[in-house]
Amino acid sequence: MAERLLDVTGLTTTFRTGKKTSVTAVNNVTFSLDRGEILGLVGESGCGKSVTSLSIMGLFEDTAGKVASGSIVFDGEDLTKLTTKQMRSIRGKRISMIFQNPMSSLNSCMRVEAQLIEAIRLHNDVSKSEARQRASKMLSAVGIPDPEQTLRSYPHQLSGGMSQRVMIAMALCCEPEMMIADEPTTALDVTIQAQILELMKDIRSRNNTSILLITHDLGVVAEMCSRALVMYAGRIVEEASVEELFASPIHPYTVGLIASVPKLGSGVTSLPSIPGSVPDLSAMPQGCKFAPRCKYAQAVCRQTEPELAPVPGGNGRKCRCHLFGKEEGKEAQA
Amino acid sequence: MSQPIVSVNHAVKTFVVNKGLGGKKYVHAVNDVSFDIMPGETFSLVGESGCGKSTTGRLINHLIVPDSGEVYYNGQDISKLSEKQMRPLRAEIQMIFQDPYGSLNPRIKIQDQIGEPLLLHTDMDPAARLKRVHELLRLVGLGPSHGERYPHEFSGGQLQRVGIARAISVNPKIIIADEPVSALDVSIQAQVLNLMKKLQEQMNLTYLFISHDLSVVEMISDRIAVMYLGSIVEIADKRDLYAMPVHPYTQALLSAVPIPDPTVHKERILLEGDIPSPVNPPSGCLFHTRCAHCTELCKQQVPPMKDFGGGHQVKCHYAEKFSGKSAEKTL
């Protein structure tokens, strides 16, 4: 059995919206990540997948957001209990992050070399020239053809794919045990996306790095991950191995989501879609959050919220639905 | 065979950048592009960012004028028309934009925005206009009560429906949809695509669909043109293009799309490097810097567009080798 690296339990993150009001962006999220595993976190915009990653990184200082309850245990240490200073020695060193938009995540007024050297020297006691050498090595490791030239460049002189490689090099330069990739390829073209995904797989197998891959693209999940979590309205609605998730999705939302993605080469001319849209965080429906859009919804769904329950005989598989296991009811409705 | 509704003939468009010390430089946005769009079909332009697909779309509705070449709409060359001469035609050529929020005025009620094309292009009185707006709102799956609201009160998917309602308000013949679903979530994307399909059947619309997403394009299109660095490298029927792509770029592009099925393991063609800058396009075949099959000939000579019959055209020196067929004619 693989070694456990991260255990998130009951994570709830809220954002203050007024003097006494707040919205809950992430609600009672529980999951774990093993060493060397690529875990997918899928969902549509506003479902809380990025807020989950920011909670793990502790990036809510001086913002309206805060981790209201729950624990994030990373390698035996609860990150929510650490001081800012202690957190700083983990962030970037043991857990690093790749953001969606490489252009706006790099400092546009600093040369690439200065940014990489800064990241390396913050966590390692090395001289500037050693750090520069290491930066150059990192850049060639992420497939940049001319590292010396790139080191001297400013971010605006690099293409999107190149900047994302620099971001990945920066995330890797302290050999982290875990990487959070928040939509790492969404801003890139498909041919460049394919390059970056290959690179991430390669890093995983070389360094046994765990990757939490946040994306809205089910195709990317199917190709990269071994396990995936599906989020809806701040909650995990289904957890399963990728094979099971795509072969036999259980939660009606997952079913609808997978069906609504056009598949290349399938020749379909119309798509099943999920009616309605995602509920507003400040006006959540009572009961199951998906009930207003669910064609199987019954009275119980509208009144009480279902728990994320293990699926019998499902090998760690979980689902948040009242109707699961009561197939008769589903069929009667359908 | 019927007449094409839009016909683009060797259109070229360059933009000036950097009038600095080094003298003028040009971005070759659209480089010798030719294609026809038939009435009632969905013709798609696909390609990566900066390949000139949006510029091509704008050439067709006269938002920009080609430097050379012609754009015909129903047999009439519109590339030489003045703004004023173009205006009556604008009702027939409508557009749907990528960012639904950015394309609506935040201070104007939805019903007035949908009604604006009616105000410009028809002589309806206010009551008739409002009636038509309500009809349109129902047609795109919204209700008359939505007309009283402002754009910020809507979700992205609903706003895109408003954008569609506005585009169809004056009964256009052709709609240019520039990445209409790229900003939407997948569950909403499917709703909007289905709506566009339904309207096409009801109103006998022709679409020029511009997108970077090959899976979406496959669902909506009849014919597809693949663009790279401002020129079309392959045009084919949907079925031909996905079943047997001929141009090495099309093959790589299709193989790069992640498939949402973990049991499928396909051979991926990984392209080396980035797209070259359109300010300084490569000599010969524009794709030669990234092509695995590149030869000396590719570096020196621009390949001709070859027609393989059935509307399948490929711009590659070795198209015969890749397709296993001989070209019917060279264009």
Side-chain angles (χ1 to χ4, degrees):
Chain A
M1 174 119 183
E3 196 191 335
R4 186 62 56 83
L5 182 65
L6 179 81
D7 254 310
V8 175
T9 317
L11 176 70
T12 301
T13 304
T14 57
F15 284 86
R16 215 172 48 241
T17 50
K19 272 213 172 108
K20 283 186 183 149
T21 53
S22 65
V23 292
T24 307
V26 170
N27 200 327
N28 198 8
V29 161
T30 301
F31 67 92
S32 63
L33 178 66
D34 290 337
R35 276 188 199 274
E37 186 186 15
I38 305 184
L39 175 68
L41 189 54
V42 219
E44 298 180 283
S45 38
C47 73
K49 48 192 198 304
S50 291
V51 174
T52 304
S53 71
L54 294 176
S55 305
I56 296 170
M57 291 293 272
L59 288 175
F60 285 127
E61 232 163 89
D62 302 325
T63 68
K66 79 167 199 274
V67 175
S69 64
S71 66
I72 303 166
V73 179
F74 174 74
D75 201 17
E77 236 177 328
D78 189 347
L79 298 183
T80 57
K81 303 240 160 37
L82 295 185
T83 61
T84 311
K85 206 174 163 193
Q86 287 169 321
M87 193 60 214
R88 206 175 284 158
S89 68
I90 290 184
R91 197 190 293 139
K93 167 111 179 114
R94 302 186 63 196
I95 310 178
S96 60
M97 191 151 175
I98 310 169
F99 295 92
Q100 171 169 4
N101 194 335
M103 297 293 192
S104 58
S105 324
L106 291 168
N107 186 332
S108 51
C109 302
M110 277 165 87
R111 286 182 203 272
V112 167
E113 62 181 348
Q115 304 192 42
L116 283 171
I117 290 171
E118 184 185 17
I120 293 169
R121 292 194 71 203
L122 197 63
H123 297 291
N124 301 283
D125 188 19
V126 291
S127 72
K128 254 191 188 168
S129 59
E130 269 176 81
R132 192 174 193 283
Q133 265 175 8
R134 194 143 139 198
S136 167
K137 242 187 245 153
M138 282 325 303
L139 288 184
S140 44
V142 296
I144 287 180
D146 187 359
E148 283 303 312
Q149 170 72 40
T150 308
L151 279 175
R152 282 191 301 273
S153 313
Y154 285 96
H156 76 265
Q157 295 168 310
L158 304 174
S159 66
M162 280 296 179
S163 319
Q164 195 58 291
R165 281 170 198 266
V166 169
M167 282 297 294
I168 293 175
M170 193 185 288
L172 287 176
C173 62
C174 296
E175 291 165 356
E177 290 142 86
M178 175 178 159
M179 235 172 25
I180 301 178
D182 190 352
E183 304 265 9
T185 57
T186 309
L188 306 176
D189 283 317
V190 275
T191 58
I192 309 297
Q193 162 170 295
Q195 293 172 356
I196 297 290
L197 292 180
E198 279 305 308
L199 173 66
M200 285 175 57
K201 274 193 209 164
D202 197 38
I203 288 163
R204 202 277 307 252
S205 51
R206 248 187 312 180
N207 308 346
N208 202 29
T209 314
S210 309
I211 300 177
L212 177 63
L213 179 66
I214 297 173
T215 180
H216 70 279
D217 188 334
L218 287 163
V220 171
V221 171
E223 234 157 77
M224 296 286 291
C225 306
S226 48
R227 229 157 30 97
L229 308 167
V230 182
M231 280 187 86
Y232 185 77
R235 288 144 181 85
I236 294 178
V237 295
E238 185 161 357
E239 173 181 346
S241 76
V242 165
E243 286 78 18
E244 287 173 327
L245 190 75
F246 284 93
S248 56
I250 296 175
H251 196 282
Y253 175 64
T254 320
V255 176
L257 196 64
I258 292 176
S260 61
V261 181
K263 282 165 204 70
L264 198 69
S266 59
V268 288
T269 50
S270 82
L271 285 172
S273 62
I274 309 175
S277 55
V278 181
D280 191 330
L281 281 181
S282 57
M284 277 289 178
Q286 204 194 352
C288 175
K289 304 303 170 236
F290 187 61
R293 299 175 75 188
C294 181
K295 61 179 170 184
Y296 305 114
Q298 297 178 2
V300 60
C301 304
R302 295 188 192 94
Q303 276 150 20
T304 47
E305 188 170 3
E307 293 292 316
L308 184 65
V311 172
N315 206 347
R317 198 168 178 186
K318 291 179 190 156
C319 179
R320 189 189 287 274
C321 182
H322 282 304
L323 302 176
F324 177 64
K326 297 171 197 153
E327 291 295 327
E328 331 74 57
K330 245 184 190 180
E331 272 152 28
Q333 286 285 312
Chain B
M1 207 164 127
S2 58
Q3 279 286 316
I5 180 164
V6 166
S7 179
V8 178
N9 191 16
H10 297 288
V12 175
K13 180 71 194 175
T14 54
F15 295 105
V16 178
V17 285
N18 193 3
K19 284 184 254 182
L21 283 174
K24 281 187 186 172
K25 283 184 182 165
Y26 297 93
V27 173
H28 302 265
V30 172
N31 205 345
D32 193 12
V33 161
S34 305
F35 59 88
D36 293 334
I37 304 175
M38 294 299 169
E41 78 170 348
T42 303
F43 184 83
S44 289
L45 291 172
V46 268
E48 299 180 280
S49 41
C51 72
K53 49 192 195 300
S54 292
T55 308
T56 308
R58 297 168 138 242
L59 283 173
I60 291 170
N61 68 354
H62 203 269
L63 283 177
I64 49 179
V65 189
D67 296 342
S68 70
E70 301 91 42
V71 178
Y72 295 96
Y73 173 72
N74 271 339
Q76 182 186 6
D77 183 2
I78 58 169
S79 57
K80 311 283 184 295
L81 294 184
S82 68
E83 265 317 303
K84 206 172 170 188
Q85 288 169 314
M86 185 62 201
R87 197 152 296 155
L89 286 176
R90 290 214 179 271
E92 297 179 20
I93 310 175
Q94 286 289 318
M95 193 145 181
I96 303 172
F97 298 92
Q98 171 168 7
D99 176 4
Y101 192 77
S103 55
L104 293 167
N105 188 328
R107 292 163 171 240
I108 299 180
K109 278 185 193 164
I110 290 300
Q111 63 192 29
D112 297 333
Q113 306 210 43
I114 296 177
E116 191 147 11
L118 297 171
L119 186 71
L120 287 171
H121 292 292
T122 64
D123 41 17
M124 285 182 184
D125 60 57
R129 271 209 307 274
L130 195 62
K131 192 164 158 263
R132 172 80 179 138
V133 168
H134 288 168
E135 207 176 285
L136 288 163
L137 280 169
R138 261 192 297 273
L139 205 57
V140 296
L142 300 170
S145 65
H146 286 103
E148 291 285 337
R149 301 192 201 164
Y150 291 91
H152 72 268
E153 298 173 75
F154 289 87
S155 67
Q158 286 176 321
L159 286 178
Q160 200 57 292
R161 287 170 189 270
V162 170
I164 293 173
R166 183 174 59 176
I168 61 172
S169 61
V170 281
N171 294 319
K173 300 277 187 303
I174 177 165
I175 292 182
I176 300 168
D178 192 352
E179 302 267 14
V181 294
S182 313
L184 307 177
D185 278 320
V186 276
S187 69
I188 309 298
Q189 170 179 302
Q191 293 174 7
V192 172
L193 289 173
N194 288 341
L195 172 67
M196 285 181 68
K197 278 242 164 193
K198 186 187 90 179
L199 291 174
Q200 180 168 38
E201 279 163 28
Q202 283 178 2
M203 304 179 62
N204 196 22
L205 287 168
T206 308
Y207 286 132
L208 173 65
F209 194 89
I210 300 172
S211 178
H212 70 281
D213 188 331
L214 287 145
S215 326
V216 167
V217 162
E218 185 191 13
M219 185 215 143
I220 197 137
S221 321
D222 298 310
R223 282 192 311 131
I224 298 162
V226 181
M227 289 188 76
Y228 185 76
L229 267 184
S231 74
I232 292 179
V233 296
E234 186 162 358
I235 300 183
D237 214 65
K238 163 168 85 180
R239 224 168 295 127
D240 287 349
L241 190 85
Y242 285 84
M244 41 173 193
V246 173
H247 197 283
Y249 177 65
T250 316
Q251 292 176 355
L253 200 61
L254 284 172
S255 84
V257 179
I259 304 281
D261 182 353
T263 56
V264 176
H265 291 286
K266 55 177 178 179
E267 212 39 47
R268 174 164 288 170
I269 308 165
L270 267 193
L271 287 181
E272 300 270 319
D274 283 322
I275 304 173
S277 158
V279 178
N280 225 336
S283 63
C285 173
L286 292 168
F287 186 58
H288 86 251
T289 53
R290 300 172 81 194
C291 184
H293 312 280
C294 168
T295 64
E296 271 310 306
L297 177 68
C298 305
K299 289 181 189 164
Q300 280 155 12
Q301 267 185 42
V302 180
M305 189 61 115
K306 296 172 184 170
D307 195 326
F308 287 87
H312 197 156
Q313 297 176 7
V314 186
K315 200 172 190 175
C316 174
H317 284 299
Y318 300 103
E320 290 88 352
K321 195 175 103 192
F322 297 130
S323 69
K325 284 193 275 188
S326 55
E328 284 185 4
K329 62 180 176 216
T330 304
L331 301 171

